[in-house]
Amino acid sequence: MPVSLEISDEVLSALKLPPRAIERELRKELAIHLVAEGLLPQGSACRLASMSRLAFDRLLGERQIPVRYTPADVEADVQALSAEI
């Protein structure tokens, strides 16, 4: 079930990002936040951010966000990858 998020023009104009980079950067920041809060497994976050696993892991390291990879996360990643095949 895809979800759309509406962001007001006022907020968009306040962002200090080039218009072409807004969606990409917001997806990346959302993915980082959800991983940091333990709400999304890293594999799913990589897909949300449209980044490779290596690049996303590197970004988490740069932000000093600890990796919390539990057996449940492994299972969720395996299921998500299986659904893509």
Side-chain angles (χ1 to χ4, degrees), residues 6-32:
E6 193 171 311
I7 300 172
S8 71
D9 289 336
E10 178 185 343
V11 171
L12 289 174
S13 64
L15 283 172
K16 294 176 171 67
L17 293 168
R20 284 184 257 170
I22 289 175
E23 182 177 352
R24 180 184 69 241
E25 292 301 315
L26 288 178
R27 284 177 163 276
K28 183 171 66 174
E29 293 302 322
L30 178 59
I32 291 167

mmCIF file of all heavy atoms in Angstrom, residues 6-32:
data_model
loop_
_atom_site.group_PDB
_atom_site.id
_atom_site.type_symbol
_atom_site.label_atom_id
_atom_site.label_comp_id
_atom_site.label_asym_id
_atom_site.label_seq_id
_atom_site.Cartn_x
_atom_site.Cartn_y
_atom_site.Cartn_z
ATOM 1 N N GLU A 6 1.983 14.788 1.917
ATOM 2 C CA GLU A 6 1.850 16.138 1.372
ATOM 3 C C GLU A 6 2.628 17.109 2.252
ATOM 4 O O GLU A 6 2.451 17.141 3.473
ATOM 5 C CB GLU A 6 0.373 16.529 1.335
ATOM 6 C CG GLU A 6 0.122 17.762 0.499
ATOM 7 C CD GLU A 6 -1.361 17.992 0.307
ATOM 8 O OE1 GLU A 6 -2.073 17.046 -0.063
ATOM 9 O OE2 GLU A 6 -1.795 19.134 0.545
ATOM 10 N N ILE A 7 3.488 17.886 1.625
ATOM 11 C CA ILE A 7 4.290 18.874 2.346
ATOM 12 C C ILE A 7 3.937 20.237 1.775
ATOM 13 O O ILE A 7 3.965 20.439 0.559
ATOM 14 C CB ILE A 7 5.798 18.581 2.187
ATOM 15 C CG1 ILE A 7 6.096 17.188 2.753
ATOM 16 C CG2 ILE A 7 6.623 19.643 2.896
ATOM 17 C CD1 ILE A 7 7.493 16.709 2.490
ATOM 18 N N SER A 8 3.615 21.153 2.641
ATOM 19 C CA SER A 8 3.157 22.469 2.193
ATOM 20 C C SER A 8 4.253 23.221 1.438
ATOM 21 O O SER A 8 5.452 22.997 1.647
ATOM 22 C CB SER A 8 2.683 23.309 3.386
ATOM 23 O OG SER A 8 3.792 23.704 4.165
ATOM 24 N N ASP A 9 3.826 24.120 0.584
ATOM 25 C CA ASP A 9 4.770 24.955 -0.161
ATOM 26 C C ASP A 9 5.626 25.786 0.791
ATOM 27 O O ASP A 9 6.802 26.027 0.525
ATOM 28 C CB ASP A 9 4.025 25.881 -1.126
ATOM 29 C CG ASP A 9 3.429 25.137 -2.302
ATOM 30 O OD1 ASP A 9 3.931 24.040 -2.628
ATOM 31 O OD2 ASP A 9 2.466 25.647 -2.898
ATOM 32 N N GLU A 10 5.028 26.194 1.900
ATOM 33 C CA GLU A 10 5.759 26.995 2.884
ATOM 34 C C GLU A 10 6.949 26.211 3.437
ATOM 35 O O GLU A 10 8.059 26.727 3.537
ATOM 36 C CB GLU A 10 4.817 27.390 4.022
ATOM 37 C CG GLU A 10 5.492 28.177 5.124
ATOM 38 C CD GLU A 10 4.555 28.457 6.285
ATOM 39 O OE1 GLU A 10 3.330 28.333 6.124
ATOM 40 O OE2 GLU A 10 5.079 28.805 7.356
ATOM 41 N N VAL A 11 6.716 24.953 3.782
ATOM 42 C CA VAL A 11 7.792 24.117 4.311
ATOM 43 C C VAL A 11 8.813 23.826 3.214
ATOM 44 O O VAL A 11 10.026 23.906 3.447
ATOM 45 C CB VAL A 11 7.225 22.809 4.911
ATOM 46 C CG1 VAL A 11 8.346 21.845 5.269
ATOM 47 C CG2 VAL A 11 6.366 23.113 6.127
ATOM 48 N N LEU A 12 8.343 23.498 2.024
ATOM 49 C CA LEU A 12 9.264 23.214 0.918
ATOM 50 C C LEU A 12 10.152 24.410 0.603
ATOM 51 O O LEU A 12 11.344 24.254 0.344
ATOM 52 C CB LEU A 12 8.487 22.789 -0.328
ATOM 53 C CG LEU A 12 7.832 21.420 -0.259
ATOM 54 C CD1 LEU A 12 6.979 21.180 -1.496
ATOM 55 C CD2 LEU A 12 8.868 20.327 -0.101
ATOM 56 N N SER A 13 9.571 25.597 0.629
ATOM 57 C CA SER A 13 10.383 26.782 0.326
ATOM 58 C C SER A 13 11.373 27.091 1.447
ATOM 59 O O SER A 13 12.402 27.724 1.220
ATOM 60 C CB SER A 13 9.504 27.993 0.039
ATOM 61 O OG SER A 13 8.769 28.358 1.181
ATOM 62 N N ALA A 14 11.091 26.616 2.661
ATOM 63 C CA ALA A 14 12.005 26.842 3.781
ATOM 64 C C ALA A 14 13.178 25.867 3.769
ATOM 65 O O ALA A 14 14.201 26.122 4.405
ATOM 66 C CB ALA A 14 11.248 26.726 5.102
ATOM 67 N N LEU A 15 13.026 24.758 3.049
ATOM 68 C CA LEU A 15 14.120 23.789 2.962
ATOM 69 C C LEU A 15 15.315 24.409 2.242
ATOM 70 O O LEU A 15 15.162 25.063 1.224
ATOM 71 C CB LEU A 15 13.679 22.538 2.208
ATOM 72 C CG LEU A 15 12.823 21.553 2.973
ATOM 73 C CD1 LEU A 15 12.311 20.476 2.027
ATOM 74 C CD2 LEU A 15 13.604 20.918 4.098
ATOM 75 N N LYS A 16 16.471 24.137 2.767
ATOM 76 C CA LYS A 16 17.695 24.652 2.152
ATOM 77 C C LYS A 16 18.277 23.590 1.229
ATOM 78 O O LYS A 16 19.410 23.148 1.392
ATOM 79 C CB LYS A 16 18.678 25.054 3.237
ATOM 80 C CG LYS A 16 18.192 26.226 4.059
ATOM 81 C CD LYS A 16 19.136 26.546 5.179
ATOM 82 C CE LYS A 16 18.824 27.806 5.898
ATOM 83 N NZ LYS A 16 17.651 27.898 6.660
ATOM 84 N N LEU A 17 17.439 23.171 0.275
ATOM 85 C CA LEU A 17 17.836 22.146 -0.687
ATOM 86 C C LEU A 17 17.438 22.595 -2.089
ATOM 87 O O LEU A 17 16.411 23.250 -2.247
ATOM 88 C CB LEU A 17 17.117 20.824 -0.389
ATOM 89 C CG LEU A 17 17.464 20.100 0.894
ATOM 90 C CD1 LEU A 17 16.461 18.979 1.149
ATOM 91 C CD2 LEU A 17 18.873 19.544 0.809
ATOM 92 N N PRO A 18 18.211 22.205 -3.082
ATOM 93 C CA PRO A 18 17.793 22.487 -4.457
ATOM 94 C C PRO A 18 16.505 21.707 -4.752
ATOM 95 O O PRO A 18 16.345 20.572 -4.284
ATOM 96 C CB PRO A 18 18.937 21.964 -5.323
ATOM 97 C CG PRO A 18 20.026 21.564 -4.400
ATOM 98 C CD PRO A 18 19.497 21.532 -3.011
ATOM 99 N N PRO A 19 15.578 22.295 -5.494
ATOM 100 C CA PRO A 19 14.298 21.627 -5.772
ATOM 101 C C PRO A 19 14.443 20.203 -6.299
ATOM 102 O O PRO A 19 13.657 19.328 -5.939
ATOM 103 C CB PRO A 19 13.636 22.534 -6.812
ATOM 104 C CG PRO A 19 14.221 23.880 -6.550
ATOM 105 C CD PRO A 19 15.636 23.619 -6.094
ATOM 106 N N ARG A 20 15.441 19.952 -7.125
ATOM 107 C CA ARG A 20 15.617 18.608 -7.691
ATOM 108 C C ARG A 20 16.056 17.579 -6.657
ATOM 109 O O ARG A 20 15.904 16.386 -6.864
ATOM 110 C CB ARG A 20 16.634 18.634 -8.828
ATOM 111 C CG ARG A 20 16.043 19.215 -10.103
ATOM 112 C CD ARG A 20 17.045 19.132 -11.191
ATOM 113 N NE ARG A 20 17.568 20.492 -11.331
ATOM 114 C CZ ARG A 20 18.597 20.831 -12.049
ATOM 115 N NH1 ARG A 20 19.270 19.924 -12.702
ATOM 116 N NH2 ARG A 20 18.974 22.077 -12.142
ATOM 117 N N ALA A 21 16.602 18.040 -5.541
ATOM 118 C CA ALA A 21 17.127 17.118 -4.532
ATOM 119 C C ALA A 21 16.166 16.883 -3.371
ATOM 120 O O ALA A 21 16.430 16.035 -2.526
ATOM 121 C CB ALA A 21 18.452 17.657 -3.991
ATOM 122 N N ILE A 22 15.055 17.590 -3.336
ATOM 123 C CA ILE A 22 14.167 17.535 -2.172
ATOM 124 C C ILE A 22 13.648 16.128 -1.909
ATOM 125 O O ILE A 22 13.789 15.608 -0.797
ATOM 126 C CB ILE A 22 13.009 18.545 -2.308
ATOM 127 C CG1 ILE A 22 13.556 19.958 -2.141
ATOM 128 C CG2 ILE A 22 11.927 18.279 -1.273
ATOM 129 C CD1 ILE A 22 12.542 21.055 -2.378
ATOM 130 N N GLU A 23 13.044 15.487 -2.892
ATOM 131 C CA GLU A 23 12.468 14.167 -2.645
ATOM 132 C C GLU A 23 13.540 13.164 -2.223
ATOM 133 O O GLU A 23 13.372 12.424 -1.250
ATOM 134 C CB GLU A 23 11.725 13.633 -3.862
ATOM 135 C CG GLU A 23 11.085 12.290 -3.578
ATOM 136 C CD GLU A 23 10.271 11.735 -4.723
ATOM 137 O OE1 GLU A 23 10.046 12.435 -5.725
ATOM 138 O OE2 GLU A 23 9.862 10.569 -4.614
ATOM 139 N N ARG A 24 14.665 13.153 -2.928
ATOM 140 C CA ARG A 24 15.754 12.219 -2.609
ATOM 141 C C ARG A 24 16.250 12.433 -1.182
ATOM 142 O O ARG A 24 16.425 11.480 -0.417
ATOM 143 C CB ARG A 24 16.888 12.386 -3.617
ATOM 144 C CG ARG A 24 18.063 11.450 -3.368
ATOM 145 C CD ARG A 24 19.218 11.683 -4.318
ATOM 146 N NE ARG A 24 19.854 12.972 -4.051
ATOM 147 C CZ ARG A 24 19.930 13.981 -4.916
ATOM 148 N NH1 ARG A 24 19.431 13.870 -6.119
ATOM 149 N NH2 ARG A 24 20.514 15.104 -4.588
ATOM 150 N N GLU A 25 16.469 13.689 -0.818
ATOM 151 C CA GLU A 25 17.008 13.986 0.516
ATOM 152 C C GLU A 25 15.993 13.695 1.619
ATOM 153 O O GLU A 25 16.361 13.199 2.681
ATOM 154 C CB GLU A 25 17.477 15.439 0.592
ATOM 155 C CG GLU A 25 18.692 15.720 -0.270
ATOM 156 C CD GLU A 25 19.894 14.851 0.096
ATOM 157 O OE1 GLU A 25 20.191 14.701 1.302
ATOM 158 O OE2 GLU A 25 20.523 14.306 -0.821
ATOM 159 N N LEU A 26 14.718 13.982 1.376
ATOM 160 C CA LEU A 26 13.701 13.684 2.383
ATOM 161 C C LEU A 26 13.548 12.183 2.591
ATOM 162 O O LEU A 26 13.390 11.711 3.717
ATOM 163 C CB LEU A 26 12.360 14.313 2.003
ATOM 164 C CG LEU A 26 12.287 15.832 2.132
ATOM 165 C CD1 LEU A 26 10.908 16.331 1.687
ATOM 166 C CD2 LEU A 26 12.590 16.303 3.537
ATOM 167 N N ARG A 27 13.615 11.411 1.504
ATOM 168 C CA ARG A 27 13.550 9.954 1.622
ATOM 169 C C ARG A 27 14.740 9.439 2.441
ATOM 170 O O ARG A 27 14.593 8.584 3.311
ATOM 171 C CB ARG A 27 13.570 9.294 0.246
ATOM 172 C CG ARG A 27 12.276 9.390 -0.489
ATOM 173 C CD ARG A 27 12.413 8.770 -1.893
ATOM 174 N NE ARG A 27 11.144 8.481 -2.463
ATOM 175 C CZ ARG A 27 10.436 7.379 -2.234
ATOM 176 N NH1 ARG A 27 10.924 6.448 -1.456
ATOM 177 N NH2 ARG A 27 9.265 7.201 -2.783
ATOM 178 N N LYS A 28 15.911 9.985 2.156
ATOM 179 C CA LYS A 28 17.121 9.564 2.863
ATOM 180 C C LYS A 28 17.023 9.910 4.346
ATOM 181 O O LYS A 28 17.303 9.069 5.209
ATOM 182 C CB LYS A 28 18.341 10.223 2.220
ATOM 183 C CG LYS A 28 19.652 9.800 2.817
ATOM 184 C CD LYS A 28 20.833 10.306 2.018
ATOM 185 C CE LYS A 28 20.943 11.804 2.062
ATOM 186 N NZ LYS A 28 22.158 12.324 1.425
ATOM 187 N N GLU A 29 16.597 11.127 4.650
ATOM 188 C CA GLU A 29 16.504 11.547 6.049
ATOM 189 C C GLU A 29 15.435 10.752 6.802
ATOM 190 O O GLU A 29 15.634 10.395 7.965
ATOM 191 C CB GLU A 29 16.215 13.052 6.143
ATOM 192 C CG GLU A 29 17.352 13.924 5.655
ATOM 193 C CD GLU A 29 18.661 13.680 6.409
ATOM 194 O OE1 GLU A 29 18.639 13.453 7.641
ATOM 195 O OE2 GLU A 29 19.721 13.713 5.759
ATOM 196 N N LEU A 30 14.323 10.444 6.146
ATOM 197 C CA LEU A 30 13.288 9.634 6.776
ATOM 198 C C LEU A 30 13.822 8.235 7.071
ATOM 199 O O LEU A 30 13.625 7.698 8.162
ATOM 200 C CB LEU A 30 12.050 9.561 5.876
ATOM 201 C CG LEU A 30 10.901 8.694 6.388
ATOM 202 C CD1 LEU A 30 10.409 9.172 7.747
ATOM 203 C CD2 LEU A 30 9.776 8.675 5.362
ATOM 204 N N ALA A 31 14.512 7.656 6.114
ATOM 205 C CA ALA A 31 15.080 6.317 6.305
ATOM 206 C C ALA A 31 16.063 6.307 7.468
ATOM 207 O O ALA A 31 16.031 5.404 8.321
ATOM 208 C CB ALA A 31 15.759 5.847 5.019
ATOM 209 N N ILE A 32 16.926 7.299 7.538
ATOM 210 C CA ILE A 32 17.907 7.387 8.630
ATOM 211 C C ILE A 32 17.195 7.496 9.970
ATOM 212 O O ILE A 32 17.525 6.795 10.928
ATOM 213 C CB ILE A 32 18.843 8.599 8.411
ATOM 214 C CG1 ILE A 32 19.752 8.351 7.214
ATOM 215 C CG2 ILE A 32 19.655 8.900 9.672
ATOM 216 C CD1 ILE A 32 20.473 9.591 6.739
#
